[in-house]
Amino acid sequence: MKIAVDAMGGDHAPEAIVAGVAKARDQYPHLEFLLYGKSEQISKLLTDQTRIKIIQADEVIGMNDEPVRAIRRKKQSSLVLAAQAVKSGEADALFSCGNTGALLTAGLLIVGRIKGIVRPGLLSTLPMIGEQTGAFNLLDSGANAENKAEHLHQYAILGKYYAQKVRGIADPRIGLLNNGTEPHKGSKITQEAYQLLQADPAINFVGNVEANSVLRNQADVIVADGFMGNTLLKSIEGTASAIMHLLKETIMNSGVSSKLGAVLLKPAFKQLKAKINQAQYGGAVLLGVKAPVVKAHGASDAETVYYTLGQIEQMLKEQMIPDLVDYFSKLNQVEKNKVIEEKSK
Amino acid sequence: MKIAVDAMGGDHAPEAIVAGVAKARDQYPHLEFLLYGKSEQISKLLTDQTRIKIIQADEVIGMNDEPVRAIRRKKQSSLVLAAQAVKSGEADALFSCGNTGALLTAGLLIVGRIKGIVRPGLLSTLPMIGEQTGAFNLLDSGANAENKAEHLHQYAILGKYYAQKVRGIADPRIGLLNNGTEPHKGSKITQEAYQLLQADPAINFVGNVEANSVLRNQADVIVADGFMGNTLLKSIEGTASAIMHLLKETIMNSGVSSKLGAVLLKPAFKQLKAKINQAQYGGAVLLGVKAPVVKAHGASDAETVYYTLGQIEQMLKEQMIPDLVDYFSKLNQVEKNKVIEEKSK
């Protein structure tokens, strides 16, 4: 199993990327890596090159490059070359900590969609907070600005396979992000999506989930259109960090006894931070394309890179993509047959 | 100035409502109140009935009643009678802690839209968290499941007037909730809305605001379609409460020293809770109808009811509604003239 790595993407590239790859290489003996980037820099960071091949890339796509233009123009960039390796079959998965839009574009335009998938979606993993521990998946968390109900239906299947294969959940509960729990609630899209999800025996549909309870173990996978999902993801992240900030600030501005209290609570705060840390779940996955295409946070350290490569290893080992390809090709056949039947009537 | 009060709406009705009304009555000598509900219960709670008139209502709309049906069928409910009083001009504003959907429906169907307003929106006030203190307004925070760009444009005007009149902000910064800061970002609706807001000299438009930074003093008023706004509002509330819960839980499950630390931090935690408490800003306001229609949280205590009545007093004193009516009638006239000009060419 070969993973094509954009070694130049992210705030701490290439150091953090190379260190994370080396750790994953030692951990997973059946994994091989293709590292794309400034070969001189990379090789300096890599004492042991076992199962790691470094490929020179003259260009780098920056965080502020316009995604589509960057993918079209920077043919010699570490990201485009890595994506090409996946397309050609030389590599089985694509990983980057760089420009998210560019990675998504590379996934769509270079790696390409699975037959039958209309609009690939970005899957994120978030921690459950509150009474429950664990995590849930959210998709589309931002690959699309607009979606139709049928896309959300496909996200339910894509998310189900991810939750089964990577998270080991036998029969994942699928929820629909909506502005009320009743079936009739929501926009035309969510109302249509509700009907599609409800009617599909392949999905363990648990109904609508409201944004104020997504963190509280309502479902294992929550589907939403990309704009809504992105808004939800960002507001959860923004609110969590704002409150942690306010907590610190409030303590700092209160008396000596509070400061002492804070010292005593350090371990508890540390635990709290660990619980709401998303990095432990790896990166965001573009689902619906022909190979795992995974984005880790731009600020990722070696540890996060290592976790994320483990997440990819899981998808490859569990044959997630071949099974998805199989599922949707059979689905297409069923629908074609329906059409033929209709005509023959 | 008369406020029509649904005395039976909310978890602590009528006690909390009546107590809050009594306090507001004592605070604002120019306010009068019409209390609709079970007159026997209410009068028992009200020793001094100065400037308070109790009107018997035989029915009550429950939290689980289907809004439109409830408004149409329960003609003798405290909410419908209170709304009728506003429609007839007997009262100047409508207040309830009850069924939100029913209150919105009463606002739309009984109180009625301001001429020129297409889709009234619900305005919520949220605290800024982080480096900045203060608050911001969000609308539509849930009156609509779907909106067009022109509705968002109207929300900018409605929100501007609210921020000026009630919060005393001379030139409120208006932001557009979007999935990126660049002008071209977002869905067709947000892209169109961006152009409309950008082009309107009456609006101090500060551009797109992402969901992860809304709490950090990006704008005084943030406009969004009702579904997006509702999702944002609920996820902020849900995340904040989940983290506070997790904090408590983590402390309780850690050692003695942590518990001691928690005791020492009590005042700081109290401050923190106070800062993120929305009740201090009053209730949610349905803007775009012919009178202030205000919803306070179902769990509101007397204090929150009192705050919210103060918020209504401010809208009435500052002539917010007449000024809005004036603004949109002039706007209509301008547009009519344009049409006439076009034709005469």
Side-chain angles (χ1 to χ4, degrees):
Chain A
M1 298 192 274
K2 266 192 201 149
I3 302 177
V5 175
D6 166 17
M8 307 309 287
D11 311 346
H12 309 306
E15 293 76 6
I17 316 297
V18 173
V21 165
K23 189 171 177 186
R25 182 264 322 269
D26 300 339
Q27 174 65 31
Y28 306 105
H30 51 288
L31 278 191
E32 296 175 47
F33 298 90
L34 303 176
L35 260 61
Y36 293 83
K38 310 279 181 206
S39 44
E40 242 183 64
Q41 277 187 56
I42 297 169
S43 47
K44 273 204 202 96
L45 298 163
L46 206 58
T47 44
D48 172 6
Q49 300 196 4
T50 318
R51 285 181 282 119
I52 298 178
K53 189 176 162 199
I54 303 168
I55 300 102
Q56 168 65 22
D58 301 335
E59 297 174 290
V60 173
I61 293 176
M63 284 303 196
N64 302 321
D65 282 344
E66 196 285 307
V68 179
R69 190 192 290 110
I71 294 302
R72 294 227 170 98
R73 303 231 179 124
K74 292 189 169 176
K75 296 288 185 199
Q76 291 308 310
S77 61
S78 50
L79 176 58
V80 170
L81 292 176
Q84 293 290 1
V86 176
K87 185 187 185 180
S88 70
E90 198 186 339
D92 308 296
L94 175 60
F95 170 74
S96 175
C97 296
N99 183 319
T100 306
L103 178 62
L104 295 178
T105 308
L108 292 170
L109 301 185
I110 302 174
V111 176
R113 287 184 286 118
I114 291 171
K115 193 164 181 302
I117 296 285
V118 188
R119 287 280 198 97
L122 190 65
L123 173 136
S124 297
T125 307
L126 289 98
M128 289 174 180
I129 305 178
E131 301 76 6
Q132 305 294 339
T133 54
F136 69 97
N137 294 113
L138 171 69
L139 80 162
D140 177 11
S141 60
N144 301 281
E146 267 150 317
N147 284 108
K148 293 178 178 161
E150 61 170 311
H151 307 158
L152 271 60
H153 182 194
Q154 295 192 327
Y155 295 152
I157 299 292
L158 294 169
K160 174 192 173 180
Y161 272 79
Y162 182 88
Q164 284 179 329
K165 303 281 187 173
V166 178
R167 298 176 51 211
I169 300 167
D171 189 16
R173 297 162 298 157
I174 312 290
L176 172 66
L177 180 64
N178 210 341
N179 62 358
T181 49
E182 305 86 340
H184 67 274
K185 279 280 186 174
S187 63
K188 235 169 96 263
I189 292 172
T190 56
Q191 288 168 348
E192 281 175 37
Y194 189 99
Q195 298 307 326
L196 291 172
L197 295 168
Q198 186 74 298
D200 188 342
I203 297 165
N204 175 13
F205 184 50
V206 295
N208 292 328
V209 178
E210 291 191 83
N212 54 355
S213 59
V214 288
L215 296 175
R216 295 179 174 249
N217 194 23
Q218 301 297 299
D220 301 303
V221 176
I222 293 174
V223 297
D225 73 73
F227 201 147
M228 203 69 66
N230 188 257
T231 300
L232 179 64
L233 178 69
K234 284 178 177 164
S235 69
I236 289 171
E237 291 173 346
T239 306
S241 82
I243 285 186
M244 294 308 283
H245 177 98
L246 181 60
L247 182 63
K248 198 177 284 173
E249 193 190 52
T250 315
I251 291 168
M252 285 309 132
N253 298 338
S254 38
V256 181
S257 63
S258 294
K259 291 195 181 62
L260 172 57
V263 174
L264 294 169
L265 275 177
K266 254 211 164 66
F269 286 148
K270 217 169 157 201
Q271 256 189 65
L272 176 65
K273 272 200 170 154
K275 274 187 191 169
I276 59 179
N277 171 25
Q278 286 178 46
Q280 61 185 310
Y281 303 110
V285 184
L286 180 65
L287 286 176
V289 290
K290 290 175 182 154
V293 170
V294 181
K295 165 71 166 68
H297 198 286
S300 296
D301 55 12
E303 199 63 14
T304 307
V305 171
Y306 164 72
Y307 281 134
T308 310
L309 292 168
Q311 173 192 22
I312 295 173
E313 191 266 347
Q314 188 72 10
M315 287 186 253
L316 294 174
K317 193 178 66 195
E318 295 296 329
Q319 298 279 319
M320 184 182 79
I321 301 289
D323 288 3
L324 280 170
V325 171
D326 186 49
Y327 180 91
F328 283 100
S329 65
K330 285 197 178 117
L331 200 65
N332 296 338
Q333 201 45 57
V334 171
E335 274 150 14
K336 279 192 194 119
N337 295 344
K338 274 195 201 136
V339 175
I340 294 161
E341 279 172 32
E342 292 302 321
K343 284 180 178 161
S344 63
K345 273 179 190 161
Chain B
M1 300 192 274
K2 268 193 200 148
I3 302 176
V5 175
D6 166 16
M8 308 309 289
D11 311 346
H12 310 306
E15 293 74 9
I17 317 297
V18 173
V21 165
K23 189 171 178 187
R25 182 264 322 270
D26 300 339
Q27 174 65 32
Y28 306 105
H30 51 289
L31 279 190
E32 295 175 46
F33 299 90
L34 303 176
L35 259 61
Y36 293 84
K38 310 280 181 206
S39 44
E40 242 183 62
Q41 279 187 54
I42 297 169
S43 48
K44 274 205 203 99
L45 298 163
L46 206 56
T47 45
D48 172 6
Q49 300 196 7
T50 318
R51 285 181 282 122
I52 298 178
K53 190 175 160 200
I54 302 168
I55 300 101
Q56 167 65 21
D58 301 336
E59 296 174 291
V60 173
I61 293 177
M63 284 302 196
N64 302 322
D65 282 346
E66 197 285 307
V68 178
R69 191 192 290 109
I71 293 303
R72 295 228 169 98
R73 303 230 178 124
K74 292 189 169 177
K75 296 289 185 201
Q76 292 307 311
S77 61
S78 50
L79 175 58
V80 170
L81 291 176
Q84 294 290 1
V86 175
K87 186 188 185 178
S88 70
E90 198 188 335
D92 309 296
L94 175 61
F95 170 74
S96 175
C97 296
N99 184 318
T100 306
L103 179 62
L104 295 177
T105 308
L108 293 170
L109 300 185
I110 301 175
V111 175
R113 288 184 285 118
I114 291 172
K115 192 163 182 300
I117 295 285
V118 188
R119 286 284 197 94
L122 190 64
L123 173 137
S124 297
T125 307
L126 288 98
M128 288 174 181
I129 306 177
E131 301 75 6
Q132 305 295 337
T133 54
F136 69 97
N137 294 112
L138 172 69
L139 80 164
D140 177 10
S141 60
N144 301 280
E146 267 150 317
N147 284 108
K148 293 179 176 160
E150 62 170 313
H151 307 157
L152 271 61
H153 183 194
Q154 295 193 325
Y155 295 151
I157 300 292
L158 294 169
K160 173 191 173 182
Y161 271 78
Y162 181 88
Q164 284 179 330
K165 302 279 186 174
V166 177
R167 299 176 51 212
I169 300 167
D171 189 16
R173 297 163 298 158
I174 312 290
L176 171 66
L177 181 64
N178 209 341
N179 62 358
T181 50
E182 305 87 339
H184 68 274
K185 279 280 186 175
S187 63
K188 235 170 96 262
I189 291 172
T190 55
Q191 287 168 350
E192 281 175 41
Y194 188 99
Q195 298 309 324
L196 291 172
L197 294 167
Q198 187 72 297
D200 188 343
I203 296 164
N204 176 14
F205 183 51
V206 295
N208 291 328
V209 179
E210 291 190 82
N212 52 357
S213 58
V214 288
L215 297 174
R216 296 183 173 243
N217 194 23
Q218 301 296 299
D220 301 303
V221 176
I222 293 174
V223 297
D225 72 73
F227 200 148
M228 203 69 67
N230 187 258
T231 301
L232 179 64
L233 177 69
K234 284 178 177 164
S235 69
I236 290 172
E237 291 172 348
T239 306
S241 82
I243 286 187
M244 295 308 284
H245 176 98
L246 182 61
L247 182 63
K248 199 177 285 173
E249 193 190 51
T250 313
I251 291 168
M252 285 310 131
N253 298 338
S254 37
V256 182
S257 63
S258 293
K259 291 193 181 62
L260 172 57
V263 174
L264 294 169
L265 276 176
K266 254 209 163 68
F269 286 147
K270 219 172 155 197
Q271 256 189 65
L272 176 65
K273 272 198 169 153
K275 275 187 191 169
I276 58 178
N277 170 24
Q278 286 178 45
Q280 60 185 310
Y281 303 111
V285 185
L286 180 64
L287 286 175
V289 289
K290 290 175 181 154
V293 171
V294 181
K295 165 69 165 67
H297 197 285
S300 295
D301 55 10
E303 199 63 15
T304 308
V305 171
Y306 164 72
Y307 281 134
T308 309
L309 292 168
Q311 173 192 22
I312 296 174
E313 190 266 348
Q314 187 72 10
M315 288 186 250
L316 295 174
K317 195 178 66 194
E318 295 295 330
Q319 298 279 317
M320 183 183 80
I321 301 289
D323 288 3
L324 279 172
V325 170
D326 186 48
Y327 180 91
F328 283 100
S329 65
K330 285 198 178 115
L331 200 65
N332 296 339
Q333 200 44 59
V334 171
E335 274 152 13
K336 280 195 193 114
N337 295 344
K338 275 196 201 134
V339 176
I340 294 162
E341 279 173 31
E342 292 303 319
K343 283 180 179 162
S344 64
K345 273 177 188 161

